Amino acid sequence: MTDSETAASVHPQTASLPRPDSGYCRLTHRMLVRISGPGTDKFLQGQFSQNLDDVTAEHALRAAACTPKGRTYCLTRLARDGQDVLMDLPTELSESILTQLRKYLMLFRGTSMETVEEGVVWGIVGSGIAETIAGADLSKLQAAGDALSLDTGILIRLEPDDRANPRYQFWQLCPEQPDWDNAQELTHADWQASEIAAGIPELDANSQEAYVPQMLNWQHLGGIHFKKGCYTGQEVIARMHFLGQLKKSLYRVTTDHPVPIGAAITGGDRNAGEIISQVVFENGQAEQLAVIRHDATSGPLTVDGQALEILPLPYSVPERESASDT
């Protein structure tokens, strides 16, 4: 079986309606990487938008890595595993991300960055499975980014979806697959629908290095620490934040039919933004995440010949209210 055939069999084309309230999904499109050695924190502190002092055994936080021009090439999460730090990467982009990071890693002797061969990332919707994993300790995971270290891996609470449904990831660090007690297995499309409903962006080869992280709402997902020291791209990111220069951001939208990823969104006779991710439901409708200019959302929007409707996100984006026309 070819890689494309394998991906098609693992990632079905359509998501269930209504969206499942509970279940689990093996996230084969994500992989785990371990950073070890004496320079771990200094290396990561200089490359990611998160403050490594805040990444503890109890807090696994989102982070972005950017080019010197502030353009995002990696969206990830950082978690502690003893003295090491783990991060999850999109499998599709992992080679390019690791190549970029290794340019800086070579400055830190004795520090390594290696794929966790036995690592598996699981997505979990609802609290039932998470309680099976964590037992009474699940009560320690109250907010997005809260983490619990277990013998078999790390359980991390995620942002809720638009229905306030709790969501988690389990980073499995041992060869044995967990016992889910006959819980419902979700398709990759079901998980993608959950991510889009929660307003969580994901980059691909087309959107990599296209946006400053604030355009992806990363600051509202706890992924940017604006008071930490210097890191690659920090000057551009900080200037956009402190000078109020954000003119576009991430929106959750819907169309009656699927559209191409990367398709241009039109507002009036001007380009208003582009589609960055999409899920297609079993009834043929689609939901997307798109980066759109704030000043274009007061009028009708179209994409690929279809009307585009803006849906609510489960978190606020106050920059939209104060943004001025470009």
Side-chain angles (χ1 to χ4, degrees):
M1 182 177 291
T2 66
D3 289 345
S4 61
E5 288 171 335
T6 300
S9 65
V10 174
H11 298 167
Q13 293 285 317
T14 58
S16 304
L17 276 177
R19 297 201 321 267
D21 292 326
S22 64
Y24 69 93
C25 179
R26 180 168 180 163
L27 305 184
T28 56
H29 67 299
R30 306 294 295 187
M31 58 180 287
L32 296 176
V33 172
R34 180 182 297 275
I35 303 94
S36 307
T40 294
D41 279 32
K42 287 185 177 180
F43 161 58
L44 295 173
Q45 186 79 348
Q47 298 307 314
F48 285 92
S49 59
Q50 189 55 257
N51 186 355
L52 268 292
D53 289 343
D54 294 340
V55 178
T56 65
E58 294 77 30
H59 296 100
L61 304 179
R62 296 190 185 275
C66 301
T67 68
K69 294 183 178 181
R71 299 290 167 162
T72 311
Y73 68 86
C74 174
L75 296 176
T76 187
R77 184 183 294 275
L78 305 176
R80 293 281 178 186
D81 184 32
Q83 298 300 312
D84 301 344
V85 172
L86 299 174
M87 64 180 177
D88 71 318
L89 298 180
T91 307
E92 175 191 6
L93 303 179
S94 60
E95 184 175 348
S96 66
I97 291 171
L98 293 175
T99 296
Q100 182 82 341
L101 290 173
R102 286 193 175 108
K103 295 177 183 177
Y104 301 93
L105 180 65
M106 62 186 297
L107 302 175
F108 297 87
R109 296 184 62 183
T111 302
S112 63
M113 183 172 58
E114 303 293 341
T115 301
V116 182
E117 297 298 339
E118 72 277 15
V120 178
V121 180
W122 298 89
I124 298 170
V125 176
S127 295
I129 295 172
E131 188 172 0
T132 299
I133 298 172
D137 285 340
L138 184 63
S139 62
K140 298 177 181 179
L141 305 185
Q142 294 294 317
D146 287 354
L148 183 64
S149 296
L150 304 166
D151 291 340
T152 53
I154 302 172
L155 183 64
I156 304 165
R157 182 147 191 170
L158 306 183
E159 296 79 6
D161 63 15
D162 60 332
R163 301 174 299 182
N165 205 25
R167 304 182 324 123
Y168 303 82
Q169 277 187 0
F170 179 59
W171 291 9
Q172 177 188 329
L173 300 176
C174 67
E176 296 183 9
Q177 181 171 326
D179 182 1
W180 302 119
D181 283 348
N182 298 317
Q184 179 183 3
E185 183 173 3
L186 307 178
T187 66
H188 178 265
D190 289 331
W191 179 257
Q192 179 72 354
S194 172
E195 288 279 271
I196 287 177
I200 310 300
E202 187 169 274
L203 299 177
D204 65 9
N206 293 318
S207 54
Q208 192 179 32
E209 297 189 20
Y211 306 107
V212 174
Q214 290 103 308
M215 297 177 185
L216 302 169
N217 295 357
W218 211 238
Q219 72 278 32
H220 302 302
L221 297 168
I224 306 176
H225 193 291
F226 288 108
K227 296 184 179 180
K228 64 170 284 186
C230 293
Y231 58 94
T232 303
Q234 182 261 350
E235 182 178 353
V236 174
I237 294 167
R239 184 167 61 246
M240 180 169 287
H241 173 70
F242 291 111
L243 298 182
Q245 296 177 340
L246 185 65
K247 304 301 182 185
K248 59 175 70 173
S249 61
L250 191 75
Y251 287 77
R252 176 183 169 218
V253 299
T254 184
T255 54
D256 287 339
H257 306 285
V259 299
I261 301 298
I265 297 168
T266 302
D269 58 354
R270 298 177 59 192
N271 182 283
E274 40 290 319
I275 301 292
I276 69 165
S277 63
Q278 177 175 245
V279 65
V280 183
F281 291 98
E282 56 192 9
N283 67 352
Q285 290 185 319
E287 284 189 17
Q288 302 91 358
L289 292 177
V291 175
I292 304 176
R293 290 195 341 264
H294 298 148
D295 65 345
T297 59
S298 58
L301 298 171
T302 61
V303 59
D304 198 36
Q306 298 186 63
L308 190 73
E309 178 186 353
I310 294 176
L311 299 177
L313 287 169
Y315 54 83
S316 62
V317 184
E319 295 93 338
R320 294 175 185 172
E321 300 174 5
S322 58
S324 59
D325 289 353
T326 54

